[in-house]
């Protein structure tokens, strides 16, 4: 599962190099180096921990902070754009420009 486009000019080169590595045994060396060993199934059971909402509180705090910052940035952007509108059109008040942006 490598990320090559369909009809890529490199597909043939890539396939040839993979075949060469497989024939030379390089792929087996990589497999032995990086494949999981059977140590996890040695019969020892780890402790089981039930997942409660309190364990996920940190993620919800981060999400709430991110949403708050996003809303604040949108408001700042709207105010800034409204100020620019009032500079372009002197007859326009800031509040009216802000209402038009909403």
């Amino acid at each position: 599962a490598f990320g090559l486009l369909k009809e890529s000019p490199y597909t043939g080169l890539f396939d040839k190099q993979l075949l060469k590595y497989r024939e030379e045994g390089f792929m087996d060396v990589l497999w032995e180096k990086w494949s999981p060993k059977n140590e996890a199934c040695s019969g020892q059971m780890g402790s089981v921990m039930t997942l409660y909402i309190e364990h996920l509180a940190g993620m919800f705090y981060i999400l709430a902070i991110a949403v708050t910052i996003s809303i604040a940035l949108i408001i700042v952007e709207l105010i800034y754009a409204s100020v620019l509108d009032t500079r372009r059109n002197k007859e326009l008040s800031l509040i009216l420009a802000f209402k038009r942006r909403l």
Side-chain angles (χ1 to χ4, degrees):
F2 293 98
L4 293 176
L5 296 173
K6 286 186 176 182
E7 308 298 326
S8 172
Y10 303 110
T11 305
L13 294 171
F14 196 78
D15 289 342
K16 286 180 187 177
Q17 192 64 36
L18 279 178
L19 182 61
K20 179 182 170 189
Y21 282 157
R22 178 167 241 166
E23 289 173 351
E24 293 174 354
F26 182 68
M27 299 297 276
D28 295 329
V29 171
L30 288 177
W31 181 260
E32 289 297 320
K33 181 178 179 181
W34 295 105
S35 68
K37 306 295 186 257
N38 288 334
E39 297 167 358
C41 299
S42 62
Q44 296 177 351
M45 296 295 290
S47 65
V48 176
M49 186 173 142
T50 305
L51 189 62
Y52 294 105
I53 193 73
E54 292 85 17
H55 298 127
L56 302 174
M59 289 190 329
F60 289 117
Y61 291 141
I62 291 173
L63 179 64
I65 290 169
V67 167
T68 304
I69 290 172
S70 299
I71 291 171
L73 286 175
I74 288 172
I75 292 170
V76 168
E77 184 178 344
L78 285 171
I79 291 171
Y80 179 72
S82 299
V83 168
L84 289 180
D85 289 344
T86 57
R87 287 185 183 169
R88 284 189 213 120
N89 187 357
K90 300 291 183 186
E91 300 168 357
L92 196 60
S93 69
L94 181 61
I95 295 175
L96 185 59
F98 188 75
K99 285 182 181 178
R100 285 186 179 179
R101 288 281 173 176
L102 290 179

